[in-house]
């Protein structure tokens, strides 16, 4: 493992994040932070006919947290609520395509946590206790 | 790794000293030498420390105190001998003023609970500083919540020094307690402890000195400083994890109620009441960390053999070198004071590279271990409007060549993140 960790597509998402920003009147807004490193992320979703029609995220943090948020935003746009609920850590890992050490997993999964928190706030899925799992 | 022959400590070359630390010979990520620049978090351990603990477990282990047989008496003697070594290391008048704790944090909590509950009342003032580690902040917040005491903070200047003018003003409000770090774990700032303690005493306050970062790196004389309480951990000064000490002035310790109840800390126990053991055991409930105490004693022996003045001198040399080397890299911001005012700690950021990404790249590309994050000092991060920094820290085994590799790593990170 070497330069590979920060592959070009990861850096590309970091430097040029997709769906960056906020929505004027989102159906769902949620945010979270990773106090360990000060990563911060918020996400807005527009929902129509059971689909995520628009997504925006904004945040600050390391390349891994911000690139994974950008990738996740691409994954969820246009998907049904059921499809979005089904998204998990494996999907993030597959998109990143690099091994994530336990110390960096909080960065990699921050956006996923914000997404599911938003869906839970909107009553679309049960709040999950994923953070309590052993990793 | 190759080390330059000019480096030497107390007649031994650094290369020789490094041989005492087996971990420094290992590699990471394939065959990269392990460059350990995270001693401020926890230092590595030399063979004499490992051997002292191993010997105890192999040949002298039994529970201490009250054992009326040879091996238990040996174990007790070894534990108490370690206490004496540590007491001498910090120039305490008596070894009974040295109380074994798990670490610095436990020592501070002991004072906050025991001394705090007996001496702090609603409206009382406790003075802290903006550069405290969470361990010298949260216990006082809890005490303030329990008692209704007030907390005030000495601010920090842009270059990482305490605003002593404001400290002087705060003292006019007659605080009951002043608690501060002798050396910042983020900025490396060495605070003028002796003068600050004298000022606090003149204002009628008791002083707790957090020596977690200073005891491993500076000569420490608790009598000369006239500190009332001093706390530090073994694991940052070549010793094992799980043990530290609280030093206290005898009259203060004797007047304090116990912290934790249990075996060893009692004189007599009846069903509804008990009386307390003498110092230091009054504060040492339960079976102590015997092997760790013995290892701590061996660590102190090792540092004494080098001499703390020499340790300080070596670290100042490395820190000066590293500050110059880092300053020469465009896009690097360094936090904290000039070399003469700081210990072997440098917090910095590289433009456009998040410290966590930087730490990952340093680890994977050049085998350099640094810390990244808020360093358990979030209020200080807020003071500088930072989410996180990277931090390199040095010790007796650090050589300039390692600093050079750190700089190469920074340049690699800049290449990778080049926008």
């Amino acid at each position: 493992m070497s330069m590979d960790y920060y592959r070009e597509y990861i850096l590309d998402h970091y430097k040029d994040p997709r769906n960056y920003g906020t929505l004027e009147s989102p159906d769902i807004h949620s945010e979270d932070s990773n106090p360990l490193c000060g990563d911060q992320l918020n996400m807005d979703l527009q929902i129509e006919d059971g689909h995520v029609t628009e997504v925006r995220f904004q945040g600050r943090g390391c390349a891994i947290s911000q690139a994974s948020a950008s990738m996740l935003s691409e994954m969820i746009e246009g998907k049904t609520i059921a499809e979005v609920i089904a998204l998990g850590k494996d999907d993030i890992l597959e998109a990143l395509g690099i091994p994530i050490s336990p110390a960096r997993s909080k960065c990699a999964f921050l956006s996923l946590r914000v997404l599911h928190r938003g869906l839970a706030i909107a009553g679309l899925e049960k709040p999950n206790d994923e953070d309590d799992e052993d990793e | 790794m190759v080390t330059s022959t000019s480096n030497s400590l107390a007649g031994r070359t650094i290369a020789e000293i490094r041989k005492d630390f087996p971990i420094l010979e290992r590699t990471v990520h394939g065959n990269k030498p392990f460059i350990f620049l995270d001693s401020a978090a926890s230092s590595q351990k030399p063979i004499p420390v490992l051997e002292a603990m191993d010997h105890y477990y192999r040949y002298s282990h039994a529970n201490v105190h009250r054992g009326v047989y040879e091996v238990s008496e040996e174990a007790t003697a070894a534990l108490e001998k370690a206490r004496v070594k540590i007491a001498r290391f910090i120039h305490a008048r008596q070894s009974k003023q040295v109380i074994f704790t798990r670490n610095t944090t436990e020592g501070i909590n002991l004072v906050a609970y025991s001394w705090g509950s007996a001496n702090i009342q609603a409206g009382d003032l406790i003075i802290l500083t903006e550069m405290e580690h969470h361990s010298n902040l949260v216990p006082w917040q809890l005490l303030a919540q329990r008692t209704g005491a007030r907390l005030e903070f000495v601010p920090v200047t842009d270059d990482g020094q305490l605003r002593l003018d404001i400290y002087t003003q705060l003292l006019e409000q007659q605080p009951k307690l002043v608690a501060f770090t002798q050396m910042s774990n983020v900025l490396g700032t060495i605070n003028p402890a002796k003068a600050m303690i004298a000022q606090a005493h003149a204002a009628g306050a008791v002083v707790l000195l957090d020596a977690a970062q200073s005891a491993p790196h500076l000569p420490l004389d608790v009598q000369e400083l006239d500190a009332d309480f001093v706390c530090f951990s073994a694991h940052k000064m070549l010793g094992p994890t799980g043990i530290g000490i609280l030093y206290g002035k005898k009259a203060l310790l004797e007047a304090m109620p116990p912290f934790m109840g249990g075996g060893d800390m009692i004189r007599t126990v009846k069903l509804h009441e008990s009386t307390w053991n003498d110092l230091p055991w009054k504060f040492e409930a339960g079976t102590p960390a015997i092997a760790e105490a013995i290892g701590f004693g061996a660590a102190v022996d090792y540092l004494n053999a080098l001499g703390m003045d020499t340790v300080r001198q070596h670290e100042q040399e490395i820190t000066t070198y590293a500050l110059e080397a880092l300053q020469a890299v465009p896009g690097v911001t360094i936090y904290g004071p000039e070399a003469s005012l700081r210990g072997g700690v440098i917090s910095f950021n590289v433009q456009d590279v998040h410290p966590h990404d930087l730490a990952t790249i340093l680890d994977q590309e050049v085998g350099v271990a640094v810390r990244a994050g808020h360093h358990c000092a979030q209020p200080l991060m807020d003071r500088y409007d930072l989410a996180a920094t990277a931090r390199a820290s040095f010790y007796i085994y650090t050589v300039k060549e390692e600093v050079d590799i750190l700089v190469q790593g920074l340049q690699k990170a800049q290449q990778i993140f080049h926008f």
Side-chain angles (χ1 to χ4, degrees):
Chain A
M1 187 155 46
S2 64
M3 294 271 194
D4 274 7
Y5 198 79
Y6 289 93
R7 290 180 189 172
E8 218 164 287
Y9 57 87
I10 292 176
L11 291 170
D12 180 56
H13 274 275
Y14 177 54
K15 293 170 188 173
D16 181 22
R18 325 297 195 257
N19 303 307
Y20 198 81
T22 55
L23 292 175
E24 208 151 285
S25 50
D27 295 308
I28 296 174
H29 171 84
S30 68
E31 52 190 67
D32 200 3
S33 60
N34 174 2
L36 195 72
C37 47
D39 287 354
Q40 187 274 327
L41 201 87
N42 52 58
M43 193 180 279
D44 289 345
L45 300 176
Q46 198 82 50
I47 312 284
E48 270 169 51
D49 299 330
H51 285 71
V52 175
T53 50
E54 269 198 282
V55 53
R56 294 282 186 282
F57 83 95
Q58 222 172 30
R60 69 171 190 178
C62 66
I64 300 299
S65 75
Q66 302 303 305
S68 69
S70 172
M71 290 171 175
L72 180 67
S73 77
E74 285 191 319
M75 273 185 242
I76 61 183
E77 199 160 57
K79 290 252 166 60
T80 67
I81 298 291
E83 285 169 329
V84 172
I85 288 172
L87 288 171
K89 292 180 177 175
D90 289 344
D91 299 292
I92 299 285
L93 290 176
E94 198 187 317
L96 286 169
I98 51 168
I100 296 290
S101 68
R104 298 303 300 273
S105 69
K106 289 257 186 281
C107 316
F109 303 134
L110 177 61
S111 53
L112 190 68
R113 204 161 64 232
V114 172
L115 171 67
H116 286 296
R117 173 175 285 190
L119 295 171
I121 291 168
L124 296 169
E125 72 170 303
K126 276 193 306 187
N128 71 41
D129 300 325
E130 216 172 344
D131 279 355
D132 296 335
E133 279 174 28
D134 292 329
E135 276 164 6
Chain B
M1 89 169 323
V2 184
T3 59
S4 63
T5 47
S6 63
N7 289 320
S8 79
L9 262 181
R12 295 177 73 204
T13 65
I14 301 282
E16 282 166 357
I17 286 169
R18 287 176 66 89
K19 289 208 176 88
D20 290 337
F21 295 81
I23 198 169
L24 298 179
E25 317 219 333
R26 71 161 283 176
T27 56
V28 293
H29 297 296
N31 57 357
K32 294 181 179 69
F34 176 47
I35 312 255
F36 183 69
L37 300 183
D38 196 20
S39 288
S42 194
S43 77
Q44 298 300 348
K45 324 299 174 197
I47 289 167
V49 169
L50 307 177
E51 281 179 348
M53 293 195 292
D54 184 71
H55 183 274
Y56 163 73
Y57 272 132
R58 279 176 198 269
Y59 307 111
S60 287
H61 172 71
N63 210 335
V64 292
H65 304 136
R66 291 173 312 284
V68 190
Y69 50 89
E70 184 171 324
V71 174
S72 173
E73 285 176 355
E74 261 177 42
T76 304
L79 173 75
E80 295 304 330
K81 193 170 154 196
R83 193 192 309 274
V84 171
K85 286 178 185 176
I86 296 157
R88 287 190 183 147
F89 181 72
I90 61 172
H91 303 274
R93 207 157 59 81
Q94 292 180 300
S95 65
K96 65 168 71 166
Q97 295 173 274
V98 171
I99 292 151
F100 284 125
T101 59
R102 274 191 306 139
N103 44 38
T104 310
T105 301
E106 187 175 277
I108 296 170
N109 275 279
L110 192 164
V111 175
Y113 276 88
S114 172
W115 182 89
S117 59
N119 293 282
I120 296 290
Q121 293 169 346
D124 284 349
L125 174 63
I126 296 169
I127 296 181
L128 308 170
T129 84
E130 275 183 354
M131 66 165 74
E132 297 312 310
H133 188 282
H134 295 164
S135 63
N136 197 27
L137 172 59
V138 181
W140 307 117
Q141 290 176 345
L142 291 170
L143 176 63
Q145 282 164 15
R146 285 197 303 276
T147 59
R150 292 183 301 130
L151 303 179
E152 291 280 357
F153 297 88
V154 182
V156 179
T157 63
D158 287 345
D159 71 340
Q161 298 185 61
L162 291 178
R163 286 284 304 270
L164 296 174
D165 54 331
I166 295 181
Y167 176 58
T168 304
Q169 285 169 20
L170 286 171
L171 287 174
E172 286 168 13
Q173 298 179 40
Q174 295 179 314
K176 280 280 177 68
L177 178 85
V178 175
F180 67 95
T181 183
Q182 192 173 12
M183 187 199 292
S184 163
N185 70 309
V186 178
L187 305 166
T189 314
I190 298 170
N191 291 317
K194 191 179 172 183
M196 288 176 69
I197 290 167
Q199 267 186 289
H201 285 163
V206 164
V207 180
L208 180 139
L209 189 66
D210 174 355
Q213 292 296 334
S214 54
H217 305 284
L218 305 175
L220 182 57
D221 185 330
V222 293
Q223 291 194 75
E224 197 208 331
L225 288 172
D226 200 23
D228 299 298
F229 297 110
V230 179
C231 304
F232 55 92
S233 302
H235 73 93
K236 293 189 201 296
M237 48 194 292
L238 311 182
T241 55
I243 193 150
I245 68 111
L246 162 68
Y247 158 88
K249 282 190 182 158
K250 207 165 105 185
L252 286 169
L253 292 173
E254 278 174 345
M256 281 157 58
F259 177 39
M260 286 195 273
D264 238 19
M265 53 75 72
I266 45 76
R267 180 181 305 284
T268 60
V269 176
K270 298 191 174 160
L271 280 177
H272 290 283
E273 59 186 27
S274 300
T275 57
W276 316 132
N277 202 341
D278 295 330
L279 291 177
W281 308 291
K282 180 170 92 174
F283 294 107
E284 294 180 358
T287 296
I290 307 164
E292 287 79 359
I294 291 166
F296 196 174
V300 161
D301 286 341
Y302 192 94
L303 288 170
N304 278 332
L306 296 173
M308 290 308 290
D309 286 317
T310 316
V311 169
R312 168 71 182 138
Q313 201 187 334
H314 170 69
E315 287 172 21
Q316 224 169 349
E317 220 178 284
I318 288 285
T319 306
T320 305
Y321 181 79
L323 281 171
E324 280 171 17
L326 290 173
Q327 270 155 1
V329 182
V332 170
T333 306
I334 295 170
Y335 307 99
E338 58 175 275
S340 66
L341 296 172
R342 72 158 87 206
V345 172
I346 303 178
S347 276
F348 60 95
N349 270 317
V350 177
Q351 198 182 348
D352 298 331
V353 186
H354 188 283
H356 269 194
D357 294 321
L358 181 65
T360 295
I361 291 169
L362 289 174
D363 172 49
Q364 298 192 348
E365 296 290 326
V366 288
V368 171
V370 297
R371 195 141 285 254
H374 55 55
H375 316 293
C376 294
Q378 284 185 25
L380 187 63
M381 294 286 120
D382 292 343
R383 158 67 180 83
Y384 291 108
D385 198 22
L386 294 166
T389 71
R391 183 188 72 185
S393 55
F394 317 122
Y395 210 2
I396 53 169
Y397 36 69
T398 311
V399 291
K400 289 175 182 168
E401 288 82 349
E402 292 178 307
V403 174
D404 296 340
I405 296 172
L406 167 68
V407 169
Q408 287 165 23
L410 298 187
Q411 287 160 344
K412 270 193 180 156
Q414 288 180 319
Q415 280 164 23
I416 292 172
F417 275 83
H418 184 65
F419 276 55

